[in-house]
Amino acid sequence: MITFILKGLIRDRSRSLFPVLMVSAGVFLTVFLYCFMEGAMGDLISSTAKFDTGHVKVMTQAYRELSDQVPNDLAIMEANELLMWLKENEKEMIWTQRIRFGGLLDVPDERGETLVQAPVVGLGIDLFSEDTPEKDLFNIERAMVRGSYPKQPNEILLSDEFAQKMNLHIGSTVTLISSTMYGSMATYNFKVAGTVYFGMIPMDRGTIIADIRDVQNALDMVDSAGEIVGYTSDMLYSDTRMGNVARRFNEVFTKSDDEFSPVMVPLGQQSNFEEYLNYAEAMGAVIVGIFVLAMSIVLWNSGLMNGLRRYGEIGVRLAMGESKGRLYRSMIFESCFIGIAGSILGTALGLAVSYYMQYTGIDFGDMMPKSSMLISNVIRAQVTPASYFIGFFPGVFASVTGAMFAGIGIYKRQTAQLIKELEV
């Protein structure tokens, strides 16, 4: 019977070509969209962790409540001692301290008068220690556009786009105007050592990067840091694993009656990030569900059209004594072969395009100029093990479901009318 069905499908292309192409198109879209969403979410998680949240972040409880406002007056004091404790007790993690700040960047003319000013977002990170992880986390050497990596205190990096707008050159002196940890006005001179381009709008819009010791001096934050971030040594985030690290730390340091006591928060619990992840998973399920529903309807309609075209064939087979159940099962077997062939073809096409997009990507930078999400302008697909079967089973299921609905018409045929239908 299998040989009979296969020969029928191969010899009569009108029974197989169009349904196979329909299934292939649906499976291709499912695989590609799944890989693209995986790539986008993976990039969002990785970039957010590296540039902002870490896999876990330590801050004071008061700082956490107002973290969107970067309240450095609520920063961690005696941060070096806490950092040493973390390095000694969580040796499998990478730890580093950071200070985020905002302010005005003042560019003077040759007489020292203000030429131009612009608001900036600043990051104080460890630029000079031999074992600093920040070079790799920020991928600074690869992001360099002009100038060089800071070699001396008070040298900073500027986003290249911002430097061009401000007409700043390598070696230019700029003044940061901000507020100290204690609320008074702070002014501090920096020298531009180089410019960087990260390929992310929030980082390239107007960011300065300085050594954390210079920022501590500028903002009167000696031995203080707004945040201490931690990463797994393999840079793979696990909510369970980071939850255990945070629980061990909080049992030792966090006090419910002291808002200045430090608290460790995993990435998933910061900035509603868990909601983003759940939303992405839900969207993936919706895509597959819509595909199965749409393809079932299309293939059902295709089966009905095919059934009308094969009206005579079905009538002859019934007239020759083939049972309705056997005929119905043969149509379902046909749909299985069509679904398998279409799913294999669609999965192969989807993986091929996804692998290509994994290296090239699509530049969405011009479409989201005001974006505040830490995600690359160029979003790439990501092929995962699930990509190999995410569209295969729905493709077969949709094909079989469509045939099952369309084949119901077989049971409505009256053998007594076959002679009239066949015009014998």
Side-chain angles (χ1 to χ4, degrees), residues 202-242:
M203 292 297 294
D204 295 325
R205 189 180 294 149
T207 301
I208 65 174
I209 297 176
D211 183 65
I212 190 167
R213 287 163 282 267
D214 295 333
V215 177
Q216 287 172 333
N217 291 333
L219 305 183
D220 199 8
M221 295 180 65
V222 177
D223 197 14
S224 299
E227 308 162 351
I228 297 176
V229 290
Y231 301 87
T232 59
S233 54
D234 55 9
M235 293 304 294
L236 296 177
Y237 176 76
S238 165
D239 204 42
T240 304
R241 186 178 169 191
M242 292 303 96

Side-chain angles (χ1 to χ4, degrees), residues 107-415:
V107 181
D109 59 15
E110 61 276 5
R111 294 176 299 176
E113 302 291 336
T114 296
L115 181 64
V116 62
Q117 288 182 337
V120 291
V121 174
L123 264 175
I125 61 177
D126 186 358
L127 290 176
F128 298 132
S129 298
E130 291 184 359
D131 59 346
T132 177
E134 302 288 25
K135 276 186 181 179
D136 294 329
L137 290 172
F138 282 78
N139 206 2
I140 292 177
E141 292 186 355
R142 188 175 178 182
M144 293 295 305
V145 178
R146 293 183 289 156
S148 62
Y149 189 84
K151 298 181 178 64
Q152 300 177 1
N154 299 332
E155 289 188 340
I156 61 171
L157 296 171
L158 280 175
S159 61
D160 190 65
E161 182 180 335
F162 179 73
Q164 290 184 26
K165 287 182 179 177
M166 300 287 286
N167 196 27
L168 287 169
H169 305 284
I170 305 304
S172 298
T173 298
V174 295
T175 302
L176 172 69
I177 304 174
S178 185
S179 61
T180 69
M181 183 178 181
Y182 303 99
S184 57
M185 184 176 178
T187 58
Y188 202 83
N189 289 337
F190 290 103
K191 183 179 178 181
V192 179
T195 64
V196 289
Y197 175 75
F198 293 105
M200 287 181 286
I201 292 172
M203 292 297 294
D204 295 325
R205 189 180 294 149
T207 301
I208 65 174
I209 297 176
D211 183 65
I212 190 167
R213 287 163 282 267
D214 295 333
V215 177
Q216 287 172 333
N217 291 333
L219 305 183
D220 199 8
M221 295 180 65
V222 177
D223 197 14
S224 299
E227 308 162 351
I228 297 176
V229 290
Y231 301 87
T232 59
S233 54
D234 55 9
M235 293 304 294
L236 296 177
Y237 176 76
S238 165
D239 204 42
T240 304
R241 186 178 169 191
M242 292 303 96
N244 291 333
V245 174
R247 179 179 50 77
R248 289 196 295 268
F249 177 88
N250 293 336
E251 286 177 352
V252 176
F253 289 98
T254 306
K255 301 174 183 175
S256 58
D257 58 347
D258 183 2
E259 62 178 355
F260 293 103
S261 61
V263 60
M264 183 181 289
V265 186
L267 181 152
Q269 298 177 19
Q270 297 181 46
S271 305
N272 299 321
F273 209 77
E274 193 170 12
E275 293 182 10
Y276 285 119
L277 299 180
N278 293 335
Y279 178 76
E281 291 180 4
M283 285 300 297
V286 167
I287 288 174
V288 175
I290 290 176
F291 158 72
V292 172
L293 179 62
M295 292 303 298
S296 295
I297 294 174
V298 171
L299 292 172
W300 175 21
N301 184 59
S302 173
L304 289 175
M305 297 297 291
N306 201 33
L308 290 175
R309 192 185 63 79
R310 298 171 63 186
Y311 211 63
E313 175 200 334
I314 294 173
V316 169
R317 291 172 66 176
L318 288 174
M320 292 176 67
E322 188 171 358
S323 68
K324 292 180 179 178
R326 179 185 173 88
L327 188 56
Y328 184 69
R329 288 192 295 274
S330 72
M331 291 187 68
I332 293 176
F333 278 128
E334 282 185 14
S335 67
C336 282
F337 291 123
I338 290 171
I340 292 172
S343 297
I344 291 175
L345 181 61
T347 301
L349 288 173
L351 289 175
V353 175
S354 298
Y355 269 116
Y356 176 73
M357 295 300 298
Q358 189 168 282
Y359 292 98
T360 57
I362 301 175
D363 191 348
F364 289 92
D366 294 334
M367 298 172 62
M368 46 184 185
K370 296 182 180 180
S371 171
S372 60
M373 297 177 67
L374 285 171
I375 188 170
S376 301
N377 296 346
V378 179
I379 299 177
R380 294 177 171 82
Q382 182 180 5
V383 178
T384 65
S387 308
Y388 289 84
F389 58 82
I390 190 70
F392 183 85
F393 295 109
V396 176
F397 178 74
S399 179
V400 172
T401 305
M404 290 174 69
F405 280 115
I408 293 175
I410 292 175
Y411 289 95
K412 297 180 180 179
R413 300 295 303 276
Q414 298 297 323
T415 309

